[in-house]
Amino acid sequence: MVAISKYHPISSILEAYNSGQRLFGENHVQELVSKHDALPTDIEWHFTGHLQRNKVKYIVPFVSLIHSVDSLRLLDEIDRQGGKCGRVIPCLLELHIANEESKYGFLPEELDNLLSSGKLKGYEHVSLRGLMCMATNTDDEEQIEREFGYAKSVFDDLKSRYFADDEGFCELSMGMSDDYSIALRHGSTLIRVGTKIFGNREY
Ligand SMILES: *Cc1c(COP(=O)(O)O)cnc(C)c1O
């Protein structure tokens, strides 16, 4: 479970840390960098928001997983910056499944095209670890079930065709406070929970 701490103060993160949580996620580069600098070094930081290419360099020195890779150009920049600091950056490809919720992410057929063309395989400083997705923000549980079920089938399909001999490609990041139990039933390996841990965010 990734504790999504965006907009929550250092004190709240420390409270979770003192209860044993070591894996935290943030959506904004500046906020992530300042929290990383202020908090214990054994925290593992994930980035889960929309990432602009010009900000990649600030998080690449320490981030342990980027969930939200949504373009080839972004992946190119992560690879370039990873090279500069001598790291291989674990990344998830963001899959667009929701109706309208997120503008971001690859369509399944786009991922298929990129993978079959070999374009996603040549990176030295990027390690592809799986997929991330967000369901539509709706009370309709059947729709959420359908979307997570679909995401799992896309994951399994891509895994079997392009990553069959790559044990590292194993993560399916899906499920948030309101839908993580549905996501877990559909094979999520990483749930991203904010509100259920920290309460409502104050923007
Ligand atoms: C904010 C956010 C979460 C956490 O949402 P909650 O509903 O507060 O659990 C999870 N994933 C992403 C990508 C987010 O932006």
Side-chain angles (χ1 to χ4, degrees):
M1 180 187 72
V2 189
I4 303 293
S5 48
K6 65 190 182 201
Y7 294 103
H8 291 290
I10 297 280
S11 57
S12 302
I13 299 176
L14 273 176
E15 205 179 328
Y17 178 89
N18 288 329
S19 319
Q21 181 70 18
R22 290 293 180 272
L23 180 49
F24 293 87
E26 289 281 338
N27 272 38
H28 304 281
V29 166
Q30 227 122 49
E31 192 177 348
L32 171 55
V33 169
S34 68
K35 285 174 173 173
H36 166 262
D37 290 348
L39 282 157
T41 53
D42 62 341
I43 288 180
E44 233 186 279
W45 291 102
H46 287 190
F47 189 81
T48 54
H50 178 61
L51 182 55
Q52 289 168 289
R53 279 181 298 136
N54 61 349
K55 296 193 176 163
V56 168
K57 58 178 174 286
Y58 301 116
I59 65 169
V60 147
F62 65 88
V63 75
S64 67
L65 183 65
I66 299 174
H67 287 234
S68 40
V69 173
D70 57 4
S71 76
L72 204 54
R73 293 172 76 205
L74 176 59
L75 214 48
D76 288 342
E77 178 62 8
I78 296 169
D79 188 54
R80 201 170 75 86
Q81 295 295 339
K84 279 194 179 175
C85 58
R87 293 190 71 211
V88 175
I89 313 300
C91 291
L92 305 180
L93 300 165
E94 184 169 351
L95 180 67
H96 183 98
I97 50 163
N99 273 351
E100 78 303 321
E101 287 314 311
S102 163
K103 316 185 279 290
Y104 304 116
F106 295 98
L107 297 172
E109 54 270 30
E110 286 179 300
L111 281 184
D112 200 12
N113 287 338
L114 287 171
L115 286 163
S116 64
S117 72
K119 283 202 179 107
L120 295 181
K121 286 272 179 162
Y123 293 110
E124 269 184 62
H125 298 282
V126 164
S127 168
L128 295 178
R129 296 292 170 83
L131 304 180
M132 176 271 221
C133 69
M134 263 186 278
T136 301
N137 184 9
T138 173
D139 290 334
D140 182 350
E141 294 208 347
E142 282 179 21
Q143 181 176 351
I144 298 172
E145 295 268 359
R146 274 197 304 278
E147 291 177 355
F148 284 157
Y150 181 58
K152 170 68 168 155
S153 70
V154 171
F155 172 84
D156 287 343
D157 177 55
L158 296 177
K159 166 97 183 149
S160 70
R161 286 192 297 136
Y162 302 110
F163 298 93
D165 50 8
D166 179 355
E167 280 177 22
F169 191 91
C170 60
E171 303 288 2
L172 182 55
S173 165
M174 59 185 192
M176 321 199 321
S177 290
D178 289 335
D179 57 18
Y180 68 85
S181 57
I182 303 176
L184 288 169
R185 283 206 299 279
H186 289 281
S188 172
T189 65
L190 283 169
I191 58 172
R192 310 178 307 268
V193 181
T195 308
K196 275 259 162 73
I197 297 171
F198 297 108
N200 290 328
R201 289 179 281 274
E202 285 183 32
Y203 297 103

